[in-house]
Amino acid sequence: MDKLSITGGNPLSGRLRVSGAKNSTLPILAGTLLTDQPVTICNAPHLHDVTTMIELLGSLGVEVVVDEKLNVEVCARSLGELLAPYELVKTMRASFLVLGPLVARFGQAKVSLPGGCAIGSRPVDQHLKGLEAMGADIEVVDGYVLAKAPAGLTGRDVYMDVVTVGGTQNLMMAACLARGTTRLYNCAQEPEVVDLGNFLATLGAKIQGYGSSVIEIQGVESLHGGTHMVMPDRVEAGTYLVAAAATGGCIRVVDADPTTLTAVLEKLQQAGARITTGDDWIELDMRDRQLRAVDIETAPYPGFPTDMQAQFMALNAVAEGAATIRETIFENRFMHVQEINRLGANIEVHGQSMAVVHGVDGLTGAPVMATDLRASSSLVIAALVAHGTTVIDRIYHIDRGYETIEEKLQQVGAQVQRVS
Ligand code: UD1
């Protein structure tokens, strides 16, 4: 099993390119099931989760080709069994996003209940409630969701009880081919929802309001093909910026979108960083500046993203002062605390949703273990700060979400090696 060996203590310096967003690519790939015409997805990141989604599409009978420019060409003309098996859905929750498109286009689907990161119970009740409201007959049998709508889905007003990114995406895709108008209320407003909305509009969907809390979709008979460029990965960009801040460095991330990172950039400024932005780049300068601890409370977009919580925990661990971190989106999302503390941090967890971080003068390298995707990136940041060498085990979690992380970090001067 691969490990990352990181010798810390160097301020990061230089520039690196941000990849396409994983959390955009996955729903967009699921959305290609809505049409029998060819679709090309550009700027998809080369990541394990993306490969899993491509494998899932392949198992459904979809033709998928990755061309020489790494564009993904998908054609879901004729499908086989409309089944998303447990083996593929358990490793990645986003696989569940094939449910809406399959039921909408084919009138039936059998999709395993999801797995994914071990962060809380993460139900899918809102996805199912919405599809039922649109006329699907849903049963859960032996861990599988069986959804049937032989006469097609019908547009409805659907109110989601919790703000859910995946729920919003599944229902907006399903509604594209439903009869009549669907209004989705209390929608997630994440940039990845907007990217999916733009993709669906490219295929001819009549969809409006995405990026706000109410999305209105007028169903159409069919969607056509098209080409879509995936947005930059805001969590990847944010992670490298936090790493630069924690190490007292100066980096520029390019092919990034600063408008999707407002809450994160504001917190980095509060922490003492100088931030400069252009249309598609962000520069962070922390040289000769004092790092200060910042309080964080996660919230749905445009609030502070839960996917950046762990990274700020690592930043606060070596900042001046103390800070509280409140996690409001997921339970059990503090698994990184124990591991960061192994490097000498002073972090206390209070209950399921609050942690207090007391900044320490320095960290020391030690063997640690990655527990989930974003938790792993906080260990990378802590290791980049720590004196000595840290070996991070189970980095398959990191490979789910960070494209060639060791190469990118090497480009900005980090001493990182992948070892088996
Ligand atoms: C997506 C992101 C993930 C991010 C999360 C929150 C992808 C592939 N993953 O995950 O990186 O951390 O958004 O920004 O885009 N919930 C319910 N019922 C539902 C659905 C969700 O109660 O039917 C709850 C969840 O348990 C959780 C909260 O809603 O507490 C948010 O989950 P959701 O927004 O759905 O996250 P994902 O779409 O799975």
Side-chain angles (χ1 to χ4, degrees):
M1 209 180 288
D2 282 2
K3 300 179 174 123
L4 273 189
S5 169
I6 300 181
T7 304
N10 291 346
L12 299 189
S13 155
R15 56 190 266 152
L16 57 83
R17 185 188 167 269
V18 176
S19 300
K22 165 181 94 71
N23 285 356
S24 233
T25 305
L26 298 175
I28 286 170
L29 283 172
T32 62
L33 288 166
L34 286 164
T35 173
D36 63 358
Q37 298 297 306
V39 176
T40 303
I41 312 297
C42 309
N43 202 33
H46 192 64
L47 291 172
H48 199 254
D49 275 8
V50 173
T51 312
T52 304
M53 185 59 95
I54 289 176
E55 217 177 298
L56 174 56
L57 293 179
S59 82
L60 286 162
V62 177
E63 289 166 35
V64 188
V65 178
V66 180
D67 74 12
E68 70 285 356
K69 289 185 185 143
L70 296 180
N71 296 328
V72 186
E73 293 168 11
V74 184
C75 187
R77 187 162 296 130
S78 55
L79 267 61
E81 200 184 354
L82 302 170
L83 166 74
Y86 175 68
E87 294 68 44
L88 288 173
V89 185
K90 76 169 182 206
T91 58
M92 188 184 72
R93 188 178 156 84
S95 315
F96 198 69
L97 295 174
V98 300
L99 180 65
L102 287 178
V103 189
R105 182 164 153 218
F106 299 98
Q108 57 163 309
K110 180 175 176 184
V111 177
S112 168
L113 285 167
C117 285
I119 44 173
S121 55
R122 302 183 81 175
V124 286
D125 54 315
Q126 301 302 312
H127 305 230
L128 301 184
K129 190 185 93 165
L131 290 173
E132 269 179 330
M134 292 162 77
D137 180 21
I138 307 254
E139 266 185 291
V140 178
V141 181
D142 299 335
Y144 278 83
V145 174
L146 309 179
K148 290 194 190 116
L153 296 173
T154 311
R156 283 277 182 274
D157 283 2
V158 178
Y159 174 82
M160 281 168 274
D161 301 317
V162 290
V163 178
T164 149
V165 176
T168 302
Q169 292 169 329
N170 227 338
L171 298 180
M172 65 200 265
M173 290 191 280
C176 288
L177 296 180
R179 250 189 330 275
T181 301
T182 301
R183 260 178 236 97
L184 303 175
Y185 293 92
N186 200 24
C187 292
Q189 302 174 32
E190 266 65 4
E192 294 77 12
V193 170
V194 176
D195 208 21
L196 176 65
N198 286 333
F199 166 69
L200 296 171
T202 300
L203 302 192
K206 293 199 170 145
I207 178 165
Q208 293 175 31
Y210 48 95
S212 77
S213 65
V214 184
I215 302 178
E216 186 175 301
I217 303 127
Q218 275 171 279
V220 292
E221 278 283 305
S222 62
L223 295 179
H224 51 69
T227 298
H228 181 80
M229 171 80 106
V230 172
M231 64 173 275
D233 196 311
R234 63 193 168 107
V235 181
E236 191 201 19
T239 301
Y240 290 123
L241 292 173
V242 173
T247 58
C250 176
I251 68 164
R252 180 179 284 211
V253 291
V254 299
D255 290 348
D257 181 355
T259 64
T260 61
L261 275 154
T262 309
V264 170
L265 298 183
E266 229 165 70
K267 284 292 168 190
L268 283 168
Q269 278 170 324
Q270 271 178 35
R274 199 170 75 89
I275 302 281
T276 326
T277 60
D279 283 347
D280 64 353
W281 56 265
I282 306 167
E283 189 171 285
L284 176 141
D285 191 352
M286 197 68 211
R287 289 169 301 182
D288 304 321
R289 299 167 84 93
Q290 177 64 51
L291 188 61
R292 294 184 297 268
V294 283
D295 293 333
I296 298 288
E297 178 161 338
T298 62
Y301 193 85
F304 186 90
T306 174
D307 286 351
M308 287 298 303
Q309 177 257 104
Q311 297 88 322
F312 271 77
M313 187 88 88
L315 182 80
N316 281 335
V318 289
E320 185 185 68
T324 55
I325 305 232
R326 278 179 203 279
E327 172 57 59
T328 72
I329 307 293
F330 292 115
E331 54 200 73
N332 198 19
R333 211 178 197 187
F334 286 139
M335 285 179 295
H336 42 285
V337 168
Q338 226 180 341
E339 299 300 303
I340 301 179
N341 279 347
R342 284 172 56 78
L343 304 184
N346 180 0
I347 308 170
E348 298 154 19
V349 174
H350 298 270
Q352 292 240 313
S353 60
M354 194 176 93
V356 179
V357 189
H358 303 275
V360 295
D361 285 340
L363 301 175
T364 316
V368 290
M369 199 170 70
T371 50
D372 72 46
L373 170 54
R374 303 307 170 188
S376 341
S377 56
S378 72
L379 298 181
V380 171
I381 293 168
L384 289 167
V385 176
H387 291 288
T389 300
T390 298
V391 176
I392 308 177
D393 202 351
R394 301 203 180 167
I395 58 159
Y396 54 84
H397 288 294
I398 301 184
D399 293 333
R400 288 185 53 196
Y402 292 88
E403 189 173 45
T404 57
I405 188 165
E406 67 276 27
E407 284 171 32
K408 289 194 180 189
L409 284 172
Q410 282 160 6
Q411 275 168 31
V412 287
Q415 288 186 53
V416 186
Q417 250 138 37
R418 184 176 287 257
V419 290
S420 6

